[in-house]
Amino acid sequence: MNTLRWKFIPILFCSLFSLGLQGSEPLIKTSYVKAKVGESLRFLLERRVGIPKKVLDEKGYLSKIKSWNPRIEDFDNLKRGEKVYVEIPYRTVLIPYEKRKKNKLANTKLRPIKKKVITRKLASSNEVSRVSKKSSDFFPKVKNEKDWRFSAFYTLSKGTFEENIIGTNISTVSNQDSPITLGGSAFKSISSEMNFSGSFYLSKIDSGISDRNEEVSIPFELGLTSYLGLRKSNWPIEVYSGLDIERFSSYNTDELPSGEALSTREHTITYFTAGVSKSFGWLGKKFLAKASISKSLLSLQSRESLVNPEKFSGLKYIAYLNMKYNDRWFYHGLFKQHSLTGATDLTITRFGLGVGYSF
């Protein structure tokens, strides 16, 4: 038995020595590369940087580099000067298709990472991903990069309210048009795959006129949203979910048969929302499309109906399209519909168009 143990000592020693050699060699090399206007990420990495297709496709580094750069909106049409964080295996031989003296990644030594496990910051987020034990000193920071993105918007919208008294043929159809809706939104990357977004709006509603030719003043309408988004590098869309809060007004349609004057009740409803979003390019412009469905969780009203005290509950649907005019300005449009049941059956349909500015 002792002889057998001594036979394994040289094998163990050689194994430890080989592991030590592996640990002394850098695992990756990294850098930032500035894009040229209109080129795709693949063109930048394969032709200008010179990363082999095998590394990009078979080893999956194209999708990895996309996930490490979540701030980039269109990987097929990069902006001039847009900084791309690049990380590749240390032994990768770079062979640029177009050799240029100013190609920083091809013509300079990339900084090696010598630890097997390191911590680094992603190019677009302060969230640290677990890749190494050492801090992210090896990784240069992008100057003037903001963690939060903000925007403000204006929307003009037209709304139609249709209320039916349950069990009768009595209904009220009216318009609640908004000449001014002002709001804002915020976005923050939490990690390479997750993000937070939120928004608010305040709408001035024109005085309503029912099909009985009665007019009544309508309070401001407001809304708040708070979502978490998830986007995997191999997913064609992003999914998100969170909470919505809306306050709007409806008419006292159910009280009209008893001789009550036309008035409004304010409703505040909290929804759970689930949706999908997709960024894409078309005709040289960048678009963002979103669609969601919301289920009411909590409902409050300013006063109970004299006929039926039940609060509104039900579903809400939204379809949204955003088109960028340039780096700052954008246009947007939306379709929103509520299908609610309470003191009455209420269907709200709203169309809106507007413009926004990104900070």
Side-chain angles (χ1 to χ4, degrees):
M1 180 65 69
N2 290 335
T3 303
L4 186 61
R5 288 178 182 175
W6 281 105
K7 287 182 180 179
F8 277 104
I9 289 178
I11 298 174
L12 179 61
F13 178 79
C14 291
S15 300
L16 292 174
F17 182 71
S18 64
L19 288 174
L21 288 178
Q22 292 175 6
S24 65
E25 181 181 84
L27 297 177
I28 58 174
K29 46 188 175 183
T30 69
S31 184
Y32 287 93
V33 182
K34 284 187 178 180
K36 295 184 177 180
V37 64
E39 67 182 348
S40 67
L41 180 64
R42 176 177 286 277
F43 183 93
L44 171 66
L45 298 176
E46 188 175 336
R47 296 187 63 86
R48 288 214 291 121
V49 177
I51 303 175
K53 287 189 66 174
K54 182 178 180 180
V55 174
L56 292 176
D57 297 328
E58 294 181 21
K59 294 187 178 181
Y61 272 83
L62 180 61
S63 61
K64 290 179 182 179
I65 291 171
K66 286 182 179 180
S67 69
W68 294 331
N69 292 273
R71 279 189 180 274
I72 296 177
E73 296 177 349
D74 188 353
F75 291 105
D76 294 324
N77 187 19
L78 300 176
K79 301 175 185 176
R80 182 185 299 277
E82 197 163 29
K83 291 187 177 181
V84 180
Y85 171 77
V86 178
E87 178 180 307
I88 52 178
Y90 179 73
R91 289 181 174 272
T92 303
V93 178
L94 302 178
I95 310 174
Y97 282 34
E98 302 173 4
K99 293 183 179 180
R100 299 180 180 180
K101 293 181 180 180
K102 293 184 180 180
N103 189 326
K104 294 183 179 179
L105 190 61
N107 298 329
T108 60
K109 292 183 178 179
L110 296 175
R111 285 176 256 199
I113 307 302
K114 294 188 176 181
K115 299 293 182 181
K116 277 192 173 181
V117 184
I118 59 170
T119 44
R120 60 170 170 77
K121 291 183 180 179
L122 299 180
S124 60
S125 169
N126 280 338
E127 180 71 17
V128 178
S129 65
R130 193 177 187 312
V131 181
S132 113
K133 279 183 183 176
K134 201 165 171 72
S135 74
S136 54
D137 295 338
F138 288 109
F139 294 82
K141 295 181 179 179
V142 179
K143 293 182 180 180
N144 300 322
E145 187 173 78
K146 296 181 180 179
D147 293 330
W148 287 88
R149 290 187 297 181
F150 300 97
S151 65
F153 57 84
Y154 161 81
T155 305
L156 172 70
S157 69
K158 180 176 181 59
T160 301
F161 281 56
E162 181 177 352
E163 286 190 272
N164 297 284
I165 300 178
I166 299 172
T168 72
N169 294 323
I170 301 175
S171 65
T172 297
V173 179
S174 62
N175 293 327
Q176 287 195 15
D177 300 335
S178 173
I180 300 176
T181 296
L182 298 176
S185 64
F187 177 91
K188 187 183 190 307
S189 293
I190 299 174
S191 70
S192 61
E193 295 181 346
M194 294 193 67
N195 61 71
F196 166 82
S197 63
S199 67
F200 73 93
Y201 71 86
L202 183 67
S203 295
K204 181 185 183 305
I205 306 296
D206 285 340
S207 296
I209 300 177
S210 73
D211 53 3
R212 299 167 181 257
N213 291 320
E214 297 176 292
E215 183 174 349
V216 65
S217 178
I218 302 174
F220 279 80
E221 184 175 309
L222 61 86
L224 297 169
T225 69
S226 179
Y227 302 140
L228 285 177
L230 177 65
R231 180 184 64 185
K232 298 280 189 180
S233 59
N234 58 341
W235 287 6
I237 59 173
E238 177 180 309
V239 297
Y240 61 90
S241 64
L243 297 178
D244 286 18
I245 301 176
E246 282 188 330
R247 190 190 73 185
F248 63 91
S249 301
S250 68
Y251 294 113
N252 61 332
T253 305
D254 55 327
E255 298 174 340
L256 298 180
S258 62
E260 293 292 323
L262 182 68
S263 63
T264 63
R265 287 193 296 269
E266 286 70 58
H267 309 273
T268 302
I269 303 180
T270 301
Y271 302 88
F272 172 77
T273 297
V276 296
S277 67
K278 171 71 175 177
S279 297
F280 61 95
W282 186 54
L283 297 178
K285 295 294 183 180
K286 295 179 181 179
F287 292 84
L288 171 65
K290 303 176 75 172
S292 65
I293 181 172
S294 306
K295 175 71 172 67
S296 61
L297 299 177
L298 176 66
S299 183
L300 303 172
Q301 53 188 0
S302 59
R303 69 172 180 85
E304 290 185 352
S305 165
L306 299 176
V307 178
N308 184 347
E310 186 177 353
K311 301 170 184 177
F312 278 124
S313 62
L315 300 173
K316 176 180 69 171
Y317 311 91
I318 293 180
Y320 174 84
L321 183 64
N322 173 309
M323 185 193 81
K324 278 202 166 187
Y325 176 71
N326 56 32
D327 288 344
R328 295 292 186 182
W329 292 95
F330 60 87
Y331 302 110
H332 65 185
L334 66 88
F335 167 80
K336 179 165 66 172
Q337 187 170 68
H338 297 73
S339 180
L340 304 172
T341 300
T344 60
D345 285 334
L346 173 62
T347 300
I348 307 172
T349 303
R350 186 171 293 279
F351 296 90
L353 293 172
V355 62
Y357 183 82
S358 299
F359 298 95

